[in-house]
Amino acid sequence: MSQHRKRPEKQARGLIVGAVAVTVAAGVSLGLWAGGDSGPAGSATSQAQSPSGGAAEGAPTPARSPSPAPSPTRSYPLSTTPRTIPAVRAHTPARGPGWRPARGLRVVVNDADLADEGRLLAGELGLTYAGQKDDVRAGDVRLTLDDDEGADPESYRMTVRGGRVAISGPDDAGVFYGTRTLKQEVRGGATAPEGVVRDGPAKPVRGFSLDIARKNFTAGWIEDRVRELGDLKFNRLQLHFSDDQAFRIESVSHPEIVSAQHLTKAQVKRIVALAAQRHITVVPEIDSPGHLGAVLAAHPELQLRSAAGNAARGAVDISNPASAKLVDDLLKEYAGLFPGADWHLGGDEYRALMVSDPEATYPQLATAARKAYGAGAGVEDLTTGWLNDRAATVRAHGKAPLAWNDGFFRGTSVRAAGDIRVGYWTGKEIGARQPVEYLSAGRKVVNYNDKFLYYVLGQPNQFYYPTGQRIYEEWTPRVLRGTTAVPSKYDSQILGGYFAVWCDFPNAQTQDQVASGIRMPLRATTQKLWDPGKPALTWSRFKALGNRLG
């Protein structure tokens, strides 16, 4: 048995064995996302950073017999780089027949931990999953863990040679991404080109954030997005399921707060298991101390009110210990439902800090701040203390906390815990801080730049549905705010990014319209998170590639 790293959530995959891999008796079944259509013929190149050139329309149908072995009497042109999204980062071309899926060919593994990856690929390509085998047959696809503990666990090597395919990596995640490349290569019966792909992501966080609080998305729709995300090599799905409008996941600790339209825990478990099979971590977000209107509808006694008696929309009174208890009840309840390490605490747009004089407007908060942190403390200190306490709650369950950038404040006596990562989304808040302030303090940052990565239903507040072109042509993970990149010395502190759907006007689009609208933006985002460099393809050619791949 190889000694490799494994994601803790992989144990959830057993819940859906057989539910997602469909074997087709003849031909190739590629589900919602289809792969590349490159063949072995083409011009001579030695190394390629990304796909170049177009592919012929009308790819051939899948082969019915194993790929031919090289023959001394037959010559082949030098292979071309696979055309995939995201583009493979390096390909060494070679001469040979390449590989095509055919009925009767096998997928074999060298380690039982690759069974999920092997079964999934076999089902998608109409092959036979043969399990752990040491023998070699014509046409085999062999998946291997290579025990390279020093390598990026999401990296892989794929060799197409002699009518066979070998995909290896230091972890099952990397091997999985290799199978996604192969799946795209053989889209529509095309041939995986001869040669060696060496590939891996630039950024460890490649995410999609979905607001299911303001708009009810069905479990089936979310599962479809999980399949799409997996094939695009995303590895995070963030679910924002609590806000002023609704609370969308079943709760046993506080059933009174749950909206009529919601996901059951059984549905969430299925989503989490499906995501784990695709090496995607599902990240929960219960935003606090703001954006809790649905909770407050059932608990008006926790509502933050001004000295004049006016309710602060969506805000709990953080001077009331019962507010912390309720939120902690929920954090503890859902800790087991979401086995991944990441946890988003929210922290944005607390109404108490969106007025000119918080201490005078909310004197109970000012009093609580001085009592807890000393005579000089203010409402920002109390709010920072709230964030730290919630981080401690999830940390006790093995979670790594993340919060929105406007939940951090400068000049406070109470500082946010050093391990709370910054989700940088805007520079519009009162007292907005430049991204470099967080980075120069040593914070890890995740990019949610609202100028590029926000798909806001109804297009309010000068938000416009992104097509993906600006992401593809102008954005990189270092562009955290506006259109200006931070200095390259901070690149390692930027963990990656998320494309986000926010449902401010939930009826502005149906969920099918959302799926269509985010299709190319998701593809542009994964390309730039996988490889932030300037893509070789123009936007029009990249878009055409996306259309061909499905």
Side-chain angles (χ1 to χ4, degrees), residues 175-255:
V175 174
F176 171 74
Y177 295 133
T179 69
R180 301 306 86 190
T181 296
L182 180 63
K183 179 182 175 183
Q184 291 188 35
E185 286 180 339
V186 300
R187 161 64 174 156
T191 300
E194 201 86 1
V196 180
V197 167
R198 294 175 179 85
D199 201 12
K203 293 298 179 183
V205 174
R206 305 178 302 282
F208 171 54
S209 179
L210 179 65
D211 172 10
I212 66 172
R214 295 179 178 96
K215 182 179 181 65
N216 181 58
F217 290 90
T218 65
W221 189 93
I222 298 171
E223 289 174 8
D224 285 347
R225 300 289 72 72
V226 168
R227 296 183 182 96
E228 181 180 19
L229 294 171
D231 282 348
L232 290 169
K233 300 174 185 169
F234 282 90
N235 64 3
R236 299 288 196 283
L237 168 63
Q238 181 174 317
L239 296 180
H240 176 89
F241 64 90
S242 170
D243 213 303
D244 295 342
Q245 294 77 4
F247 191 97
R248 297 283 189 192
I249 295 180
E250 173 188 355
S251 171
V252 295
S253 66
H254 290 281

Side-chain angles (χ1 to χ4, degrees), residues 89 152 154 199-206 477 491-492 494-496 526-533:
R89 303 191 73 180
D152 181 347
E154 294 188 303
D199 201 12
K203 293 298 179 183
V205 174
R206 305 178 302 282
D491 186 68
S492 64
I494 301 170
L495 302 177
T526 193
Q527 174 60 46
K528 301 304 284 289
L529 289 169
W530 196 264
D531 184 354

Side-chain angles (χ1 to χ4, degrees), residues 32-64:
L32 294 168
W33 166 258
D37 53 359
S38 167
S43 58
T45 56
S46 59
Q47 289 287 330
Q49 298 300 316
S50 56
S52 60
E57 299 294 338
T61 57
R64 301 290 185 176

Side-chain angles (χ1 to χ4, degrees), residues 1 66 70 88 92 108 125 193 228 243 322 338 352 422 489 528 537:
M1 181 69 70
V88 300
T92 303
V108 297
L125 301 190
E228 181 180 19
D243 213 303
F338 296 97
V422 179
K489 67 180 180 180
K528 301 304 284 289
L537 294 183

